[in-house]
Amino acid sequence: AQSVTQPDIHITVSEGASLELRCNYSYGATPYLFWYVQSPGQGLQLLLKYFSGDTLVQGIKGFEAEFKRSQSSFNLRKPSVHWSDAAEYFCAVGGRSGGYQKVTFGTGTKLQVIP
Amino acid sequence: SAVISQKPSRDICQRGTSLTIQCQVDSQVTMMFWYRQQPGQSLTLIATANQGSEATYESGFVIDKFPISRPNLTFSTLTVSNMSPEDSSIYLCSVGGLAGGSSYNEQFFGPGTRLTVL
């Protein structure tokens, strides 16, 4: 069965500092991978996705993520964090073999940004 | 992407009553899903809403408790029946399989319905 691990429940960074959120997945083949962001009281917004090709994917709001097959990881990065980035971030994995495959979400990482 | 709206955005309900949540999409989509997000938790898939047929429920969720309708390709409802305080949660609608999209797995979420049961 597929699964996602986000080892950091809560991260605090200073505004302007760099950010890396960790995500490890378990899946039998190359999966689809996603990062979503949820601001307080809001639904989830898709930040970026990896399906195939270049393993470094660019997303919205200046985020990027790198797929590393050897490490089963898909870490999210941002070079300079803004106060508006404070939110909860979810990594998700989905199957890719024909038709719909269930998407599994990680437990989330809550990001706090301090001035 | 798609624009997804949910009604109501929040509600406070009494134990034993039922609430129906509506999800409307601005374009036709193949897949519609309902998730629950309990306080401080991640998302748990309740069911896949199938157009013109019965929803497909995940383990631990049953139709009697969470009846779902999907009369067309742009609309779905989720009812939370005979509510108890344990049903207090955020309920999220999502869609996948957009025309021109990359895959069914790429999902877009509504703003959610925050339910409190007293």
Short mmCIF file of all heavy atoms in Angstrom, two decimals, chain A residues 32 34 36 38 40-44 46 49 51 88 90 94-96 99-103 105-108, chain B residues 10 31 33 35 37 40-43 45 48 58 90 92 102-112 114:
data_model
loop_
_atom_site.label_atom_id
_atom_site.label_comp_id
_atom_site.label_asym_id
_atom_site.label_seq_id
_atom_site.Cartn_x
_atom_site.Cartn_y
_atom_site.Cartn_z
N TYR A 32 2.83 9.44 -8.85
CA TYR A 32 2.56 10.86 -8.97
C TYR A 32 2.77 11.47 -7.58
O TYR A 32 2.36 10.89 -6.59
CB TYR A 32 1.12 11.12 -9.42
CG TYR A 32 0.82 10.71 -10.83
CD1 TYR A 32 -0.35 10.01 -11.13
CD2 TYR A 32 1.67 11.04 -11.88
CE1 TYR A 32 -0.65 9.64 -12.43
CE2 TYR A 32 1.37 10.67 -13.18
CZ TYR A 32 0.21 9.96 -13.46
OH TYR A 32 -0.09 9.59 -14.74
N PHE A 34 2.64 15.17 -5.12
CA PHE A 34 2.03 16.50 -5.03
C PHE A 34 2.43 17.16 -3.72
O PHE A 34 2.67 16.50 -2.71
CB PHE A 34 0.49 16.39 -5.04
CG PHE A 34 -0.08 15.57 -6.17
CD1 PHE A 34 -0.26 14.21 -6.01
CD2 PHE A 34 -0.43 16.17 -7.37
CE1 PHE A 34 -0.79 13.44 -7.04
CE2 PHE A 34 -0.97 15.41 -8.40
CZ PHE A 34 -1.14 14.05 -8.24
N TYR A 36 0.57 20.28 -1.46
CA TYR A 36 -0.55 21.19 -1.28
C TYR A 36 -0.27 22.09 -0.09
O TYR A 36 0.42 21.69 0.87
CB TYR A 36 -1.85 20.42 -1.01
CG TYR A 36 -2.43 19.68 -2.18
CD1 TYR A 36 -2.03 18.39 -2.49
CD2 TYR A 36 -3.42 20.27 -2.98
CE1 TYR A 36 -2.58 17.71 -3.56
CE2 TYR A 36 -3.98 19.60 -4.05
CZ TYR A 36 -3.56 18.32 -4.33
OH TYR A 36 -4.11 17.64 -5.39
N GLN A 38 -2.36 24.60 2.80
CA GLN A 38 -3.65 24.94 3.39
C GLN A 38 -3.45 26.09 4.37
O GLN A 38 -2.84 25.91 5.42
CB GLN A 38 -4.27 23.73 4.11
CG GLN A 38 -5.66 24.00 4.64
CD GLN A 38 -6.26 22.76 5.31
OE1 GLN A 38 -5.57 21.97 5.94
NE2 GLN A 38 -7.57 22.59 5.15
N PRO A 40 -4.96 28.88 7.08
CA PRO A 40 -5.99 28.73 8.11
C PRO A 40 -7.39 29.02 7.58
O PRO A 40 -7.63 30.06 6.96
CB PRO A 40 -5.56 29.75 9.16
CG PRO A 40 -4.09 29.86 9.01
CD PRO A 40 -3.84 29.71 7.53
N GLY A 41 -8.30 28.09 7.81
CA GLY A 41 -9.68 28.27 7.40
C GLY A 41 -9.93 28.12 5.92
O GLY A 41 -11.03 28.43 5.45
N GLN A 42 -8.94 27.64 5.19
CA GLN A 42 -9.07 27.52 3.74
C GLN A 42 -9.02 26.06 3.30
O GLN A 42 -8.64 25.18 4.07
CB GLN A 42 -7.93 28.27 3.04
CG GLN A 42 -7.83 29.74 3.43
CD GLN A 42 -9.01 30.54 2.93
OE1 GLN A 42 -9.41 30.42 1.78
NE2 GLN A 42 -9.59 31.35 3.80
N GLY A 43 -9.36 25.84 2.04
CA GLY A 43 -9.18 24.52 1.46
C GLY A 43 -7.74 24.33 1.05
O GLY A 43 -6.86 25.14 1.37
N LEU A 44 -7.45 23.27 0.34
CA LEU A 44 -6.09 22.97 -0.09
C LEU A 44 -5.83 23.53 -1.48
O LEU A 44 -6.66 23.41 -2.38
CB LEU A 44 -5.85 21.46 -0.12
CG LEU A 44 -5.45 20.82 1.20
CD1 LEU A 44 -6.63 20.74 2.13
CD2 LEU A 44 -4.86 19.44 0.96
N LEU A 46 -3.08 23.44 -4.69
CA LEU A 46 -1.98 22.68 -5.26
C LEU A 46 -0.80 23.60 -5.52
O LEU A 46 -0.92 24.58 -6.26
CB LEU A 46 -2.44 22.02 -6.57
CG LEU A 46 -1.42 21.16 -7.29
CD1 LEU A 46 -1.04 19.93 -6.46
CD2 LEU A 46 -1.98 20.71 -8.65
N LYS A 49 3.46 19.62 -8.71
CA LYS A 49 3.24 18.20 -8.91
C LYS A 49 4.41 17.62 -9.71
O LYS A 49 5.06 18.33 -10.49
CB LYS A 49 1.94 17.97 -9.68
CG LYS A 49 1.97 18.60 -11.07
CD LYS A 49 0.60 18.69 -11.69
CE LYS A 49 0.70 19.34 -13.07
NZ LYS A 49 -0.60 19.77 -13.61
N PHE A 51 5.01 14.36 -12.27
CA PHE A 51 4.48 13.21 -12.97
C PHE A 51 5.59 12.43 -13.66
O PHE A 51 5.66 11.21 -13.57
CB PHE A 51 3.45 13.66 -14.02
CG PHE A 51 2.13 14.10 -13.43
CD1 PHE A 51 1.19 14.76 -14.20
CD2 PHE A 51 1.82 13.86 -12.10
CE1 PHE A 51 -0.02 15.16 -13.66
CE2 PHE A 51 0.61 14.26 -11.55
CZ PHE A 51 -0.32 14.92 -12.35
N GLU A 88 -0.16 25.28 6.56
CA GLU A 88 0.14 23.86 6.70
C GLU A 88 0.36 23.28 5.31
O GLU A 88 -0.37 23.59 4.37
CB GLU A 88 -0.98 23.13 7.42
CG GLU A 88 -0.61 21.69 7.79
CD GLU A 88 -1.35 21.19 9.01
OE1 GLU A 88 -2.41 21.73 9.34
OE2 GLU A 88 -0.87 20.21 9.63
N PHE A 90 0.96 19.87 2.89
CA PHE A 90 0.70 18.44 2.79
C PHE A 90 1.37 17.87 1.54
O PHE A 90 1.19 18.39 0.44
CB PHE A 90 -0.81 18.17 2.70
CG PHE A 90 -1.56 18.50 3.95
CD1 PHE A 90 -2.15 19.73 4.12
CD2 PHE A 90 -1.68 17.56 4.97
CE1 PHE A 90 -2.85 20.05 5.28
CE2 PHE A 90 -2.38 17.87 6.14
CZ PHE A 90 -2.95 19.11 6.28
N GLY A 94 0.12 9.52 -5.39
CA GLY A 94 -0.95 8.84 -6.10
C GLY A 94 -0.38 7.84 -7.08
O GLY A 94 0.73 8.03 -7.58
N GLY A 95 -1.13 6.80 -7.34
CA GLY A 95 -0.70 5.80 -8.30
C GLY A 95 -0.86 6.32 -9.72
O GLY A 95 -1.51 7.32 -9.97
N ARG A 96 -0.23 5.61 -10.65
CA ARG A 96 -0.25 6.11 -12.02
C ARG A 96 -0.65 5.07 -13.03
O ARG A 96 -0.58 5.30 -14.23
CB ARG A 96 1.13 6.68 -12.39
CG ARG A 96 2.23 5.64 -12.35
CD ARG A 96 3.61 6.28 -12.42
NE ARG A 96 3.78 7.06 -13.62
CZ ARG A 96 4.30 8.28 -13.63
NH1 ARG A 96 4.68 8.85 -12.53
NH2 ARG A 96 4.44 8.94 -14.75
N GLY A 99 -6.37 4.77 -15.31
CA GLY A 99 -7.56 5.20 -14.61
C GLY A 99 -7.22 5.88 -13.30
O GLY A 99 -6.10 6.33 -13.07
N TYR A 100 -8.20 5.91 -12.41
CA TYR A 100 -7.99 6.62 -11.16
C TYR A 100 -7.29 5.73 -10.13
O TYR A 100 -7.63 4.57 -9.97
CB TYR A 100 -9.32 7.08 -10.57
CG TYR A 100 -9.13 7.63 -9.19
CD1 TYR A 100 -8.46 8.83 -9.01
CD2 TYR A 100 -9.51 6.92 -8.07
CE1 TYR A 100 -8.21 9.33 -7.75
CE2 TYR A 100 -9.27 7.41 -6.80
CZ TYR A 100 -8.62 8.62 -6.66
OH TYR A 100 -8.38 9.10 -5.40
N GLN A 101 -6.33 6.32 -9.48
CA GLN A 101 -5.67 5.66 -8.37
C GLN A 101 -5.78 6.57 -7.16
O GLN A 101 -5.60 7.77 -7.26
CB GLN A 101 -4.20 5.40 -8.69
CG GLN A 101 -3.99 4.49 -9.90
CD GLN A 101 -4.39 3.07 -9.61
OE1 GLN A 101 -4.12 2.55 -8.55
NE2 GLN A 101 -5.06 2.45 -10.57
N LYS A 102 -6.03 5.98 -6.02
CA LYS A 102 -6.25 6.74 -4.79
C LYS A 102 -5.03 7.58 -4.45
O LYS A 102 -3.90 7.17 -4.62
CB LYS A 102 -6.54 5.76 -3.66
CG LYS A 102 -6.84 6.41 -2.33
CD LYS A 102 -7.16 5.31 -1.31
CE LYS A 102 -7.23 5.86 0.09
NZ LYS A 102 -7.54 4.81 1.07
N VAL A 103 -5.30 8.79 -3.97
CA VAL A 103 -4.25 9.69 -3.51
C VAL A 103 -4.18 9.62 -1.99
O VAL A 103 -5.20 9.71 -1.31
CB VAL A 103 -4.53 11.14 -3.96
CG1 VAL A 103 -3.50 12.10 -3.37
CG2 VAL A 103 -4.52 11.23 -5.48
N PHE A 105 -2.52 11.24 1.49
CA PHE A 105 -1.92 12.47 2.01
C PHE A 105 -1.08 12.17 3.25
O PHE A 105 -1.41 11.29 4.05
CB PHE A 105 -3.02 13.47 2.37
CG PHE A 105 -3.69 14.08 1.19
CD1 PHE A 105 -4.72 13.40 0.54
CD2 PHE A 105 -3.28 15.30 0.69
CE1 PHE A 105 -5.34 13.95 -0.57
CE2 PHE A 105 -3.90 15.86 -0.42
CZ PHE A 105 -4.93 15.18 -1.05
N GLY A 106 -0.01 12.94 3.39
CA GLY A 106 0.76 12.89 4.62
C GLY A 106 0.04 13.64 5.73
O GLY A 106 -1.03 14.22 5.53
N THR A 107 0.63 13.60 6.92
CA THR A 107 -0.01 14.20 8.09
C THR A 107 0.19 15.70 8.18
O THR A 107 -0.38 16.34 9.05
CB THR A 107 0.51 13.54 9.37
OG1 THR A 107 1.95 13.55 9.34
CG2 THR A 107 0.03 12.10 9.47
N GLY A 108 0.99 16.25 7.29
CA GLY A 108 1.14 17.69 7.23
C GLY A 108 2.28 18.24 8.06
O GLY A 108 2.68 17.65 9.08
N ARG B 10 -19.74 26.90 6.91
CA ARG B 10 -19.65 26.39 8.27
C ARG B 10 -21.05 26.24 8.85
O ARG B 10 -22.00 26.86 8.36
CB ARG B 10 -18.81 27.30 9.17
CG ARG B 10 -19.31 28.73 9.28
CD ARG B 10 -18.44 29.54 10.23
NE ARG B 10 -17.07 29.63 9.75
CZ ARG B 10 -16.01 29.38 10.51
NH1 ARG B 10 -16.16 29.00 11.75
NH2 ARG B 10 -14.79 29.51 10.02
N MET B 31 -14.03 13.08 -11.93
CA MET B 31 -14.03 12.52 -10.58
C MET B 31 -14.39 13.60 -9.56
O MET B 31 -13.94 14.75 -9.65
CB MET B 31 -12.64 11.99 -10.21
CG MET B 31 -11.97 11.14 -11.27
SD MET B 31 -12.77 9.55 -11.51
CE MET B 31 -12.37 8.73 -9.99
N PHE B 33 -14.70 13.85 -5.17
CA PHE B 33 -14.36 13.14 -3.94
C PHE B 33 -14.82 13.94 -2.73
O PHE B 33 -14.88 15.16 -2.76
CB PHE B 33 -12.84 12.94 -3.82
CG PHE B 33 -12.19 12.35 -5.04
CD1 PHE B 33 -11.63 13.16 -6.00
CD2 PHE B 33 -12.14 10.98 -5.20
CE1 PHE B 33 -11.03 12.62 -7.12
CE2 PHE B 33 -11.54 10.42 -6.32
CZ PHE B 33 -10.98 11.25 -7.29
N TYR B 35 -13.72 14.35 1.35
CA TYR B 35 -12.72 14.07 2.38
C TYR B 35 -13.20 14.63 3.72
O TYR B 35 -13.96 15.59 3.78
CB TYR B 35 -11.38 14.76 2.05
CG TYR B 35 -10.59 14.15 0.93
CD1 TYR B 35 -10.85 14.47 -0.40
CD2 TYR B 35 -9.55 13.26 1.21
CE1 TYR B 35 -10.10 13.93 -1.42
CE2 TYR B 35 -8.79 12.71 0.19
CZ TYR B 35 -9.07 13.05 -1.13
OH TYR B 35 -8.31 12.51 -2.14
N GLN B 37 -11.42 16.10 7.36
CA GLN B 37 -10.20 16.53 8.00
C GLN B 37 -10.54 16.87 9.45
O GLN B 37 -11.07 17.94 9.75
CB GLN B 37 -9.58 17.74 7.30
CG GLN B 37 -8.23 18.13 7.86
CD GLN B 37 -7.62 19.32 7.14
OE1 GLN B 37 -8.33 20.12 6.52
NE2 GLN B 37 -6.30 19.45 7.21
N GLY B 40 -6.64 19.04 13.58
CA GLY B 40 -5.22 18.72 13.70
C GLY B 40 -4.78 17.50 12.92
O GLY B 40 -3.66 17.02 13.11
N GLN B 41 -5.63 16.99 12.06
CA GLN B 41 -5.32 15.76 11.32
C GLN B 41 -5.14 16.02 9.84
O GLN B 41 -5.43 17.12 9.34
CB GLN B 41 -6.46 14.74 11.51
CG GLN B 41 -6.78 14.43 12.95
CD GLN B 41 -5.70 13.62 13.62
OE1 GLN B 41 -5.17 12.68 13.05
NE2 GLN B 41 -5.35 14.01 14.83
N SER B 42 -4.70 14.99 9.14
CA SER B 42 -4.61 15.07 7.70
C SER B 42 -5.96 14.74 7.06
O SER B 42 -6.97 14.61 7.77
CB SER B 42 -3.53 14.11 7.19
OG SER B 42 -3.35 14.27 5.81
N LEU B 43 -5.97 14.60 5.77
CA LEU B 43 -7.21 14.32 5.04
C LEU B 43 -7.46 12.83 4.96
O LEU B 43 -6.55 12.05 4.67
CB LEU B 43 -7.11 14.88 3.63
CG LEU B 43 -7.33 16.37 3.46
CD1 LEU B 43 -6.13 17.14 3.94
CD2 LEU B 43 -7.63 16.70 2.02
N LEU B 45 -10.03 10.17 2.97
CA LEU B 45 -11.02 10.05 1.91
C LEU B 45 -12.24 9.31 2.44
O LEU B 45 -12.11 8.20 2.97
CB LEU B 45 -10.42 9.31 0.72
CG LEU B 45 -11.33 9.09 -0.49
CD1 LEU B 45 -11.73 10.42 -1.11
CD2 LEU B 45 -10.65 8.20 -1.53
N THR B 48 -15.68 8.27 -3.15
CA THR B 48 -15.67 8.82 -4.50
C THR B 48 -17.11 8.91 -4.97
O THR B 48 -17.85 7.91 -4.92
CB THR B 48 -14.87 7.91 -5.44
OG1 THR B 48 -13.55 7.76 -4.92
CG2 THR B 48 -14.82 8.49 -6.84
N GLU B 58 -14.80 4.36 1.24
CA GLU B 58 -13.56 3.82 1.79
C GLU B 58 -13.87 3.03 3.06
O GLU B 58 -14.94 3.17 3.68
CB GLU B 58 -12.59 4.96 2.10
CG GLU B 58 -12.16 5.73 0.86
CD GLU B 58 -11.40 4.88 -0.13
OE1 GLU B 58 -10.40 4.23 0.27
OE2 GLU B 58 -11.81 4.84 -1.30
N ILE B 90 -13.77 19.28 9.35
CA ILE B 90 -13.88 19.99 8.09
C ILE B 90 -14.14 18.95 7.01
O ILE B 90 -13.44 17.95 6.93
CB ILE B 90 -12.61 20.78 7.75
CG1 ILE B 90 -12.33 21.83 8.83
CG2 ILE B 90 -12.73 21.45 6.39
CD1 ILE B 90 -11.00 22.54 8.66
N LEU B 92 -14.29 18.34 2.99
CA LEU B 92 -13.75 18.94 1.77
C LEU B 92 -14.20 18.15 0.55
O LEU B 92 -14.13 16.91 0.52
CB LEU B 92 -12.22 18.95 1.82
CG LEU B 92 -11.59 19.86 2.88
CD1 LEU B 92 -10.26 19.31 3.34
CD2 LEU B 92 -11.40 21.25 2.30
N SER B 102 -3.71 16.54 -16.42
CA SER B 102 -2.64 15.57 -16.57
C SER B 102 -3.06 14.17 -16.17
O SER B 102 -2.62 13.19 -16.74
CB SER B 102 -1.44 16.00 -15.72
OG SER B 102 -1.02 17.29 -16.08
N SER B 103 -3.89 14.06 -15.16
CA SER B 103 -4.30 12.74 -14.70
C SER B 103 -5.48 12.90 -13.77
O SER B 103 -5.80 13.99 -13.32
CB SER B 103 -3.17 12.05 -13.94
OG SER B 103 -3.11 12.52 -12.61
N TYR B 104 -6.11 11.77 -13.48
CA TYR B 104 -7.21 11.80 -12.53
C TYR B 104 -6.72 12.17 -11.14
O TYR B 104 -7.47 12.67 -10.32
CB TYR B 104 -7.88 10.43 -12.47
CG TYR B 104 -8.54 10.00 -13.74
CD1 TYR B 104 -8.18 8.82 -14.36
CD2 TYR B 104 -9.52 10.78 -14.33
CE1 TYR B 104 -8.78 8.42 -15.53
CE2 TYR B 104 -10.12 10.39 -15.50
CZ TYR B 104 -9.76 9.22 -16.10
OH TYR B 104 -10.35 8.82 -17.25
N ASN B 105 -5.46 11.88 -10.87
CA ASN B 105 -4.95 12.09 -9.53
C ASN B 105 -4.76 13.54 -9.17
O ASN B 105 -4.64 13.88 -8.01
CB ASN B 105 -3.61 11.37 -9.37
CG ASN B 105 -3.80 9.87 -9.38
OD1 ASN B 105 -4.89 9.39 -9.16
ND2 ASN B 105 -2.75 9.15 -9.64
N GLU B 106 -4.66 14.40 -10.16
CA GLU B 106 -4.46 15.82 -9.88
C GLU B 106 -5.79 16.38 -9.40
O GLU B 106 -6.72 16.54 -10.17
CB GLU B 106 -3.99 16.54 -11.13
CG GLU B 106 -3.65 17.99 -10.92
CD GLU B 106 -3.09 18.63 -12.16
OE1 GLU B 106 -2.92 17.91 -13.18
OE2 GLU B 106 -2.82 19.83 -12.15
N GLN B 107 -5.86 16.64 -8.12
CA GLN B 107 -7.11 17.06 -7.52
C GLN B 107 -7.08 18.51 -7.12
O GLN B 107 -6.04 19.04 -6.71
CB GLN B 107 -7.41 16.20 -6.27
CG GLN B 107 -7.64 14.74 -6.58
CD GLN B 107 -8.01 13.94 -5.36
OE1 GLN B 107 -8.63 14.44 -4.43
NE2 GLN B 107 -7.61 12.68 -5.35
N PHE B 108 -8.25 19.12 -7.22
CA PHE B 108 -8.42 20.50 -6.80
C PHE B 108 -9.52 20.52 -5.75
O PHE B 108 -10.53 19.84 -5.88
CB PHE B 108 -8.78 21.37 -8.00
CG PHE B 108 -7.70 21.38 -9.05
CD1 PHE B 108 -7.72 20.47 -10.08
CD2 PHE B 108 -6.65 22.27 -8.96
CE1 PHE B 108 -6.70 20.45 -11.03
CE2 PHE B 108 -5.63 22.27 -9.91
CZ PHE B 108 -5.66 21.35 -10.95
N PHE B 109 -9.30 21.33 -4.72
CA PHE B 109 -10.15 21.29 -3.55
C PHE B 109 -11.05 22.50 -3.43
O PHE B 109 -10.66 23.63 -3.78
CB PHE B 109 -9.30 21.18 -2.28
CG PHE B 109 -8.73 19.81 -2.08
CD1 PHE B 109 -7.59 19.41 -2.75
CD2 PHE B 109 -9.35 18.91 -1.24
CE1 PHE B 109 -7.07 18.13 -2.58
CE2 PHE B 109 -8.84 17.64 -1.05
CZ PHE B 109 -7.70 17.25 -1.73
N GLY B 110 -12.24 22.25 -2.88
CA GLY B 110 -13.10 23.33 -2.48
C GLY B 110 -12.61 23.94 -1.18
O GLY B 110 -11.68 23.43 -0.55
N PRO B 111 -13.26 25.02 -0.72
CA PRO B 111 -12.82 25.72 0.48
C PRO B 111 -13.15 24.98 1.77
O PRO B 111 -12.64 25.34 2.83
CB PRO B 111 -13.59 27.04 0.41
CG PRO B 111 -14.79 26.73 -0.41
CD PRO B 111 -14.37 25.69 -1.40
N GLY B 112 -13.99 23.96 1.70
CA GLY B 112 -14.31 23.18 2.89
C GLY B 112 -15.54 23.69 3.63
O GLY B 112 -15.95 24.85 3.49
N ARG B 114 -16.84 23.70 7.56
CA ARG B 114 -16.44 23.46 8.96
C ARG B 114 -17.69 23.15 9.77
O ARG B 114 -18.56 23.99 9.94
CB ARG B 114 -15.72 24.68 9.52
CG ARG B 114 -15.15 24.48 10.92
CD ARG B 114 -14.41 25.73 11.36
NE ARG B 114 -13.23 25.96 10.54
CZ ARG B 114 -12.01 25.50 10.80
NH1 ARG B 114 -11.81 24.76 11.86
NH2 ARG B 114 -11.01 25.78 10.01
#
